Amino acid sequence: MPKTIRELADELKVSKQTIQYHYQRLPAKNRQKDSQGTNIISPTAEKIISDKVAKPLVAKNQQTGSKKVTKTSKENNDLVATLRREVEDLKAQRDKQLATKDQQISNKDRQIDQLTKLIDQQQQLQLTTVAENKKLRNHIQKLSGLLETSNPVRNQQENDKKEDIHKNKFNKSWWHFW
C-alpha cells in the first residue's frame, strides 16, 4: 500500500526532509500524487528510497565499529616511519623525473633554434636565387634583343652566300662544256 513521505520517514527513523530530498530525485514515473495532491510513495519508490537512506547508515556504523579496534603506538610509529620513507622515495622519483623532463625540454629548445636558423638560411638562399634568376632573365632578354637586331644582317649574308654558290655552280657548269 502506498505511503506518505511522513509515514516513510517515521518508519526509517530519518527526517521528512531526507525522504523529500530522495523523492524529488526519483524518475517521474515513480513519483505519484493522490486526489488531494499529496505525494505518495509506491512500493517501488519506497524500495529505492530505503536503499539510499540505508547506505549512509551502514557506512556510518562500520566507521564507528572500526574505531573500536586501536593499534598500539609502536605499530603507529612503524606505520608513520614507513609512510615517511615512501613519501621521500616518491619525492626523489618526482625530482628525478622533473630533471629528465627539464633536460628533454632544453634539448627540444636547442633543436627548435637550429631548425629556425636553417629555415632562415633557406629563405635567404631562396631570395638570392630568385634575384639571380631575374638578373639572368634580364640578360637573356638583352641578348635576345641583340640577336633580333643582328638577324636581318645575318639573313642578308646567308642570302649572299647562297647566290655566290649558285653562280659558281653555273660558272663551273659552263666551263665544263668547253
Side-chain angles (χ1 to χ4, degrees):
M1 173 157 171
K3 298 179 182 177
T4 63
I5 291 176
R6 180 179 303 269
E7 290 170 348
L8 184 60
D10 291 340
E11 184 179 311
L12 295 176
K13 297 180 183 167
V14 294
S15 69
K16 180 181 165 186
Q17 289 83 3
T18 302
I19 301 299
Q20 183 71 32
Y21 173 84
H22 291 292
Y23 179 79
Q24 293 298 326
R25 278 146 185 79
L26 288 175
K29 66 179 181 180
N30 290 335
R31 290 181 282 174
Q32 300 173 353
K33 294 188 182 275
D34 64 5
S35 58
Q36 287 99 16
T38 306
N39 293 329
I40 56 171
I41 302 173
S42 68
T44 307
E46 181 181 347
K47 173 96 171 99
I48 294 170
I49 293 172
S50 297
D51 289 344
K52 288 183 179 183
V53 170
K55 283 181 184 178
L57 292 175
V58 170
K60 195 173 186 180
N61 287 340
Q62 286 177 350
Q63 286 177 348
T64 57
S66 65
K67 286 182 181 176
K68 293 176 184 174
V69 178
T70 58
K71 295 184 177 183
T72 65
S73 62
K74 183 181 180 217
E75 289 174 336
N76 286 338
N77 290 341
D78 291 342
L79 180 61
V80 168
T82 303
L83 291 174
R84 284 187 179 158
R85 280 192 302 272
E86 286 180 16
V87 167
E88 290 301 319
D89 290 344
L90 290 173
K91 284 182 181 178
Q93 287 177 356
R94 180 199 61 195
D95 292 343
K96 185 178 177 182
Q97 288 176 345
L98 286 175
T100 303
K101 297 298 180 195
D102 288 345
Q103 182 64 35
Q104 290 173 346
I105 290 172
S106 176
N107 288 339
K108 294 296 178 193
D109 287 344
R110 279 193 298 265
Q111 290 173 350
I112 289 170
D113 288 342
Q114 289 173 346
L115 289 172
T116 304
K117 287 178 185 176
L118 289 172
I119 289 172
D120 186 44
Q121 289 174 354
Q122 184 213 5
Q123 288 174 343
Q124 290 175 2
L125 285 172
Q126 192 170 5
L127 287 173
T128 305
T129 304
V130 167
E132 288 177 2
N133 283 343
K134 284 182 181 178
K135 286 180 185 177
L136 288 173
R137 278 192 207 119
N138 291 337
H139 187 68
I140 289 172
Q141 287 176 351
K142 286 179 185 177
L143 290 177
S144 296
L146 290 175
L147 286 175
E148 288 175 4
T149 57
S150 66
N151 273 348
V153 173
R154 186 180 299 148
N155 288 344
Q156 183 64 35
Q157 290 173 349
E158 287 178 9
N159 287 340
D160 290 345
K161 285 181 185 178
K162 287 179 184 177
E163 286 178 16
D164 287 342
I165 292 172
H166 184 64
K167 285 181 184 178
N168 285 340
K169 274 188 178 180
F170 179 72
N171 288 339
K172 286 181 185 177
S173 302
W174 187 80
W175 287 106
H176 177 66
F177 290 116
W178 288 93

